[in-house]
Amino acid sequence: MTRRVTLAILGAGTAGLTALKEARRYTDDIVLINAGPYGTTCARVGCMPSKALLEVAHAYGRRDWLAECGMRGGEALAMDVPAAMAHVRTLRDGFTAGAMNMTEALGERSIDGRPRFLSPTTLEVNGERIEAEAVIIATGTRPNLPEAWRQLGDRVLTSNEVFELEAPGRRVGVVGLGPIGVELGQAFAQLGCEVHGFTRGSRIAGLNASAVNQSLLDVLRRQMHVTTEADVTLSEGKAGILMQASDREVEVDWVLASLGRRPNVEGLELQNLGVALDARGVPAFDRSTLRVGELPVFIAGDVDGLRPLMHEAADAGRIAAYQALHPQPECLARRTPMGVVFTDPGAGYAGLAADSLPASGVIAGSADFARQGRALTAGRNAGCLQVYVDELDGRLLGAEMVAPEAEHLLHLLAWSIQQEMTVDQLLAMPFYHPTVEEGLRTALQAARHEINRHRTRPDQPLCREPAL
């Protein structure tokens, strides 16, 4: 039996569902094929349950500062970790319901099964052959876990399993301190666990600038044990998992392995596309159109390895669907890149990070949030902000930070970068007092000073003549 459709979408994650929404603006002749759990990685095991846990942890973590400010009775507070984990799962289930309802509404156009390519336009799933005019591969990724560690059973978890813990042991190991490892490591530390974090390199949370990276390390080391530049081995301990790295050895109840992710391409038989595959088993594709060679095949979302973030996956799904369904499509530009790590204080980047900047012609300006007024009043005075500016025209190119309200500051900066705003234009904007945005102004002023741009007038917008 053969079914003929205009578009087949492989994967019901964020990229696949966004591609579906975009495609349905032009046609209903679509099938959505998904193997594995529904509900998107973000809603099930990523962005949303982690933020639910972090909100509880950050709130509980404020109790010592509240005592310093004169609030009494805080020593009687106690964290019921099992109740907190149940709260996270309740919220998580609500987030996943919306995505699952969307796929269920497709009826027979939603196929639960593992597809494989017979040719670039022919798929086989559950014994049914599907001929599609175009195909979008949006099969997502899954966490890496060394095979040897799997032998230690359910005491070694990835982000796919951690939110199912009902009563987590209080001695926690974290291997890998990228955004996920840092967020969850700090969360369990703030909830009262003894956390030991290890990372292979010297950088954490995806930060590149040394001063910014160090400021987050300083914060985390007041809450948990952090060891950088360490290769970790895991083995059976006397009463748990033994973690060893050079001269460090510690026994923990369980370990969170946060070692990156790999694309879900097994079983797709992508070799039948007739194009070369990279070391990950993913075909080469155009980064602008997301098209695989000259084939009517497109790749979108985390599986493409470009920008493994929820909002980027959504944009990729939208671009792929638009490209797939238009014979001469316009080129859709990607938005300014940004990444947010929801630690306390927050961290992240907007635009170009330090390792992506041109080799010359760039000036940096910085601000220290340890002394920033608004941060001091809130007891959140930690972190560092760096902005990167083009030396010739003063355009803002990028920024990295660890700062209170980083998620909001990073949005402001990403919007400004996308609008190609200059330091002078940004400094002509209003800055209310006292706010953390004044720390951004300090960094911008420092950058302007570095490029030796002397003000010819105050930092005020010019009056405009009234329209006639």
Side-chain angles (χ1 to χ4, degrees):
M1 184 174 64
T2 299
R3 188 190 314 199
R4 290 175 173 82
V5 297
T6 300
L7 178 65
I9 301 171
L10 313 186
T14 296
L17 292 180
T18 307
L20 175 66
K21 290 181 195 175
E22 178 66 24
R24 291 182 73 178
R25 296 175 57 205
Y26 316 107
T27 180
D28 284 325
D29 190 22
I30 307 164
V31 291
L32 179 70
I33 306 170
N34 188 71
Y38 287 77
T40 81
T41 296
C42 174
R44 285 188 301 104
V45 295
C47 332
M48 302 311 291
S50 65
K51 301 315 164 286
L53 182 64
L54 284 161
E55 288 295 336
V56 174
H58 293 341
Y60 188 61
R62 296 278 284 168
R63 64 194 184 282
D64 291 340
W65 179 76
L66 294 173
E68 292 175 9
C69 298
M71 189 173 292
R72 301 295 176 247
E75 62 277 2
L77 287 174
M79 174 52 65
D80 185 339
V81 176
M85 298 302 290
H87 164 75
V88 169
R89 286 190 292 275
T90 298
L91 287 177
R92 184 269 316 275
D93 292 345
F95 295 133
T96 60
M100 294 176 71
N101 290 340
M102 183 176 176
T103 57
E104 290 170 1
L106 290 172
E108 66 177 12
R109 288 178 293 156
S110 176
I111 302 173
D112 184 1
R114 189 170 300 280
R116 65 188 183 97
F117 281 91
L118 303 180
S119 76
T121 56
T122 307
L123 298 159
E124 191 276 332
V125 58
N126 299 339
E128 179 183 12
R129 180 171 291 207
I130 295 174
E131 295 278 356
E133 294 177 20
V135 180
I136 296 174
I137 302 170
T139 48
T141 60
R142 66 186 185 279
N144 284 318
L145 186 63
E147 188 59 38
W149 293 9
R150 296 180 188 275
Q151 307 308 311
L152 297 170
D154 59 8
R155 292 171 297 173
V156 180
L157 308 175
T158 70
S159 55
N160 275 9
E161 301 90 30
V162 68
F163 301 110
E164 300 305 322
L165 289 173
E166 295 185 359
R170 293 305 179 106
R171 300 180 302 167
V172 183
V174 180
V175 184
L177 294 177
I180 295 172
V182 164
E183 286 183 351
L184 295 180
Q186 186 187 53
F188 282 106
Q190 290 178 323
L191 291 173
C193 295
E194 175 191 317
V195 179
H196 300 267
F198 297 83
T199 190
R200 178 171 290 177
S202 60
R203 300 284 191 265
I204 63 172
L207 299 171
N208 284 280
S210 296
V212 178
N213 182 71
Q214 187 60 50
S215 69
L216 185 56
L217 278 169
D218 292 343
V219 169
L220 292 179
R221 282 175 168 150
R222 292 195 288 269
Q223 302 169 336
M224 54 187 275
H225 302 278
V226 177
T227 303
T228 60
E229 300 183 272
D231 282 315
V232 180
T233 62
L234 305 184
S235 59
E236 290 279 358
K238 293 181 179 179
I241 300 296
L242 186 64
M243 306 181 73
Q244 295 173 297
S246 59
D247 59 346
R248 275 218 67 198
E249 182 177 294
V250 63
E251 188 173 87
V252 297
D253 298 316
W254 61 280
V255 173
L256 171 67
S258 182
L259 303 173
R261 302 178 69 86
R262 65 177 63 186
N264 293 323
V265 293
E266 290 82 2
L268 291 179
E269 299 192 15
L270 295 178
Q271 70 274 9
N272 291 332
L273 296 178
V275 298
L277 306 180
D278 65 18
R280 303 175 307 132
V282 176
F285 59 94
D286 185 289
R287 286 171 171 254
S288 297
T289 65
L290 305 181
R291 185 169 185 169
V292 176
E294 297 299 319
L295 302 176
V297 177
F298 301 80
I299 188 162
D302 289 2
V303 69
D304 67 21
L306 292 180
R307 299 181 179 184
L309 299 165
M310 185 271 185
H311 67 283
E312 296 287 2
D315 280 355
R318 193 173 293 113
I319 291 169
Y322 183 79
Q323 292 283 332
L325 295 174
H326 291 80
Q328 293 182 315
E330 300 169 287
C331 180
L332 301 176
R334 300 301 286 263
R335 305 175 212 256
T336 295
M338 63 182 299
V340 181
V341 183
F342 292 84
T343 47
D344 187 14
Y349 68 92
L352 298 180
D355 65 342
S356 303
L357 293 168
S360 61
V362 178
I363 291 298
S366 63
D368 181 358
F369 276 90
R371 298 189 296 272
Q372 204 271 331
R374 176 63 172 154
L376 278 164
T377 64
R380 303 177 68 196
N381 53 309
C384 173
L385 162 64
Q386 286 194 350
V387 295
Y388 308 121
V389 175
D390 188 289
E391 187 174 16
L392 293 179
D393 59 17
R395 279 183 305 114
L396 183 63
L397 301 176
E400 292 182 77
M401 72 176 69
V402 171
E405 311 301 335
E407 61 187 285
H408 306 300
L409 288 172
L410 287 164
H411 274 86
L412 292 174
L413 287 163
W415 296 342
S416 301
I417 293 165
Q418 189 158 314
Q419 293 296 315
E420 299 186 340
M421 295 184 71
T422 67
V423 167
D424 289 329
Q425 288 174 320
L426 286 163
L427 286 171
M429 298 292 181
F431 289 83
Y432 203 87
H433 175 76
T435 59
V436 294
E437 283 76 9
E438 290 177 301
L440 171 57
R441 180 175 62 185
T442 298
L444 293 169
Q445 289 172 332
R448 181 171 61 184
H449 178 76
E450 285 296 316
I451 59 178
N452 199 27
R453 283 177 175 263
H454 298 289
R455 288 184 295 167
T456 58
R457 57 179 173 79
D459 283 332
Q460 299 288 141
L462 293 175
C463 298
R464 292 178 174 82
E465 294 183 4
L468 296 177

